[in-house]
Amino acid sequence: MPADEPRPSILWFRKDLRLDDNHALHAAIEAGGPIVSVYIREPVAHNIGPLGAAQNWWLHHSLETLRNSLRSLGTDLLFLSGEADRVLADLAGQIGSRSVFFNRAYERSSQDLEIVQTLKMQQIAAHAFHGQLLWDPQEIRTGTGAAFRVFTPFWNALQKRGEPHDPINAPSKIPAYTRPLRSEDLRSWNLIPRRSNWASHFPAVSTPGEHGAQQRLAEIIDRNLQNYRDGRDLPAEENTSHLSPHLAFGEISPARIWHATRGLPHTASADVAHFRRELAWRDFCYGLLVEFPHLHDRNWNGRFDAFQWEDDAQAFRAWARGVTGYPIVDAGMRQLWRYGFMHNRVRMIVASFLVKDLMIDWRKGERWFRDTLVDADPANNPANWQWVAGSGADASPFFRIFNPVLQGEKFDPEGDYVKTHVPELAKLDRKFIHRPFEAPKQVLDRAGIELGKDYPKPIVSHAFARERALAAYRALRG
Ligand SMILES: Cc1cc2nc3c(=O)[nH]c(=O)nc-3n(C[C@H](O)[C@H](O)[C@H](O)COP(=O)(O)OP(=O)(O)OC[C@H]3O[C@@H](n4cnc5c(N)ncnc54)[C@H](O)[C@@H]3O)c2cc1C
């Protein structure tokens, strides 16, 4: 290579599968040399283990989309497997590169530091950028410089920082490295479930990749986030953004979303404020994870370590398959299995049911969600499970126990959500849609339901379960 020619740079894609508002990409272009883009399949994708099956499906399609976008800009995407530091160092040696550009993934902050150190020892500079969250967790701190443990003061501090960075647009061209390089075949990674067509309904909800993310954003902006604040709790309606899987894979930046809501008319201000608050919850959860990397497998509040969980495999299976006899719970769990997604309100209801009615350890629920949600997130998932369980930093008190019947009647008053996901109840009278076990025989007959055959009887009595959970909680408090 002639001495005056800029060396090639490596652009390492990870939880930032986008070209828009990608600071690492931007900086790599600024460096002036040709760019080799790579996605590395690591033995352990982040500190909580490999991605779940639903996310593997998403990842496959997202990587295909990213590779197509890179090709349309004159470059390509390599797929390589192994420990990131070793793969990056080998690649750098192969192409004579001295610099790696990447965006931080806060769930693996300590690992990132090690990678930077390893590369440095081999005279390779690692340049890390921000973009996964609205703000770097180090930038939103209490007056004493500590991390926030309660959301409301965190939210106040975040708002005081003003607007997050202005997003930068995708480049129109990327300088290509023209010599051939070895890449694995994405299909050989077997990310897509082979034997069953389990994921066949996933595309009905969202389209993996950056274009899908931008389309979603355009949709919510077009409708001015209408009815977000008041309607976001109604699972039968489409009032939320469905941006979560796109955010989980970094197909869109939260700063891009935040700024897109800036131009909405004043009439949308309450909806915008509430929506931004939810985005900030994501930052908050990441702050907790950075502070406590064991968020997924240890109680934040160590007092819960002594909690007497039930070890009931049969009840867990009924919950996971959506056959508990409580329609709103079953609808949620079946929505999850079929579409890889579940509405937020229903996530709270099913999680409360597992932890409080069945008294099954929240970690088992967290793992099930991690395997089946396309938006499974290393921060949001455990933080929200711990929130529901009462063991978290800013948690709902354990003694607040959702009644699945009343929750259903309040948030799915017509039973439309239940009827969509539990079709065997489709003909049941609205009055009993959330309590089929109380319906008189002739009402059930009219709806073509025999309880215990067409639809299960409740696996537990909520009144009994509530008392049992409260007693266990009282024992914990001593
Ligand atoms: C038990 C449980 C587990 C959860 N697991 C996950 C998970 O693995 N991944 C995940 O992204 N969210 C998780 N959530 C939070 C929430 O349910 C989803 O973010 C939301 O349903 C996604 O739908 P949406 O994009 O339409 O949300 P919108 O209402 O449109 O919200 C916009 C964005 O804000 C963020 N957000 C919204 N609510 C929360 C919240 N409570 N905590 C953190 N961020 C939030 C998400 O990134 C979301 O995409 C969980 C909630 C519960 C109760």
Side-chain angles (χ1 to χ4, degrees):
M1 175 186 317
D4 54 346
E5 238 179 65
R7 284 178 180 273
S9 299
I10 296 175
L11 176 61
W12 176 27
F13 280 100
R14 0 166 42 206
K15 295 290 282 291
D16 51 353
L17 305 182
R18 63 173 183 270
L19 304 184
D20 178 62
D21 196 27
N22 186 328
H23 286 252
L25 166 61
H26 195 69
I29 293 175
E30 296 264 286
I35 294 176
V36 173
S37 301
V38 61
Y39 182 88
I40 303 171
R41 189 175 194 217
E42 296 166 84
V44 174
H46 43 65
N47 68 341
I48 62 166
L51 293 183
Q55 286 206 306
N56 274 335
W57 173 88
W58 188 285
L59 178 65
H60 178 97
H61 293 290
S62 189
L63 288 175
E64 269 187 340
T65 309
L66 179 65
R67 183 182 51 193
N68 291 342
S69 303
L70 287 167
R71 284 181 176 168
S72 72
L73 296 185
T75 175
D76 208 340
L77 179 62
L78 301 180
F79 300 119
L80 298 174
S81 302
E83 296 293 348
D85 50 0
R86 190 187 52 72
V87 174
L88 291 169
D90 286 354
L91 184 59
Q94 206 183 331
I95 62 173
S97 174
R98 290 264 184 276
S99 46
V100 175
F101 294 81
F102 66 91
N103 291 306
R104 287 190 196 95
Y106 292 104
E107 65 268 33
R108 40 183 295 173
S109 302
S110 56
Q111 249 172 311
D112 278 5
L113 284 177
E114 283 170 25
I115 290 174
V116 170
Q117 284 308 321
T118 315
L119 292 176
K120 202 170 159 191
M121 285 190 306
Q122 304 186 45
Q123 278 78 50
I124 302 164
H127 308 277
F129 296 86
H130 167 72
Q132 190 185 22
L133 304 174
L134 293 167
W135 294 93
D136 186 308
Q138 298 305 327
E139 291 176 309
I140 312 281
R141 313 294 280 184
T142 65
T144 62
F148 281 98
R149 291 168 169 205
V150 180
F151 178 72
T152 303
F154 173 85
W155 172 229
N156 293 337
L158 187 145
Q159 287 173 289
K160 273 203 199 115
R161 297 270 341 197
E163 301 283 310
H165 72 264
D166 278 327
I168 43 176
N169 291 334
S172 52
K173 192 158 175 30
I174 298 177
Y177 181 87
T178 46
R179 282 190 222 135
L181 289 168
R182 185 189 72 86
S183 170
E184 290 161 30
D185 181 349
L186 179 59
R187 283 166 306 179
S188 73
W189 288 1
N190 294 326
L191 299 174
I192 291 186
R194 283 226 159 163
R195 261 177 255 148
S196 81
N197 60 354
W198 166 54
S200 62
H201 290 96
F202 290 5
V205 179
S206 299
T207 309
E210 183 165 15
H211 300 306
Q214 286 171 353
Q215 230 167 349
R216 271 281 175 213
L217 180 62
E219 275 164 29
I220 61 163
I221 298 304
D222 275 357
R223 60 176 158 89
N224 294 335
L225 271 169
Q226 206 178 0
N227 205 23
Y228 180 79
R229 189 188 59 174
D230 298 332
R232 63 182 291 276
D233 268 325
L234 305 174
E237 295 184 12
E238 284 288 331
N239 294 313
T240 69
S241 71
H242 282 272
L243 280 165
S244 52
H246 302 294
L247 280 163
F249 284 91
E251 295 168 352
I252 192 162
S253 81
R256 171 64 74 195
I257 300 172
W258 180 283
H259 284 283
T261 60
R262 209 160 46 165
L264 292 181
H266 183 68
T267 44
S269 60
D271 292 314
V272 169
H274 208 96
F275 179 70
R276 288 179 164 184
R277 200 181 140 89
E278 294 309 315
L279 275 181
W281 263 103
R282 182 170 172 272
D283 273 40
F284 177 67
C285 294
Y286 271 88
L288 296 179
L289 180 63
V290 170
E291 200 65 10
F292 186 54
H294 279 284
L295 198 58
H296 68 291
D297 64 357
R298 286 194 205 153
N299 295 302
W300 176 287
N301 178 350
R303 214 196 237 173
F304 274 77
D305 292 351
F307 195 86
Q308 294 296 310
W309 301 109
E310 293 284 323
D311 188 15
D312 188 342
Q314 208 178 339
F316 180 82
R317 222 173 13 252
W319 175 80
R321 290 175 54 213
V323 287
T324 65
Y326 287 95
I328 191 80
V329 174
D330 295 341
M333 297 309 294
R334 294 192 204 179
Q335 180 186 22
L336 174 61
W337 184 253
R338 196 170 165 85
Y339 296 106
F341 186 83
M342 194 195 304
H343 186 275
N344 178 61
R345 166 57 52 181
V346 191
R347 291 186 202 204
M348 290 196 273
I349 299 170
V350 304
S352 172
F353 187 81
L354 184 79
V355 171
K356 297 177 183 175
D357 285 63
L358 302 181
M359 282 216 339
I360 290 177
D361 194 330
W362 63 265
R363 282 164 280 224
K364 293 189 179 156
E366 194 273 344
R367 273 203 297 276
W368 182 259
F369 269 31
R370 209 191 306 157
D371 204 28
T372 51
L373 275 172
V374 289
D375 68 16
D377 186 286
N380 289 358
N381 197 34
N384 276 283
W385 271 97
Q386 294 227 40
W387 182 87
V388 173
S391 61
D394 179 359
S396 162
F398 185 89
F399 54 78
R400 202 169 290 155
I401 298 178
F402 280 158
N403 178 323
V405 173
L406 299 182
Q407 287 285 311
E409 288 175 345
K410 182 166 178 194
F411 296 110
D412 184 30
E414 300 302 320
D416 293 336
Y417 177 76
V418 162
K419 289 179 180 178
T420 302
H421 299 290
V422 187
E424 62 267 39
L425 297 180
K427 293 199 182 113
L428 187 59
D429 197 298
R430 173 180 172 276
K431 191 169 162 209
F432 295 103
I433 189 77
H434 292 289
R435 46 178 92 224
F437 45 89
E438 288 177 11
K441 183 161 179 330
Q442 66 271 26
V443 173
L444 290 172
D445 285 348
R446 252 202 325 271
I449 302 163
E450 186 183 330
L451 273 193
K453 182 166 162 266
D454 303 303
Y455 183 73
K457 294 177 182 165
I459 58 168
V460 67
S461 138
H462 175 68
F464 157 81
R466 185 172 185 282
E467 288 314 312
R468 179 178 63 168
L470 289 175
Y473 181 60
R474 276 194 295 271
L476 185 69
R477 294 174 67 207

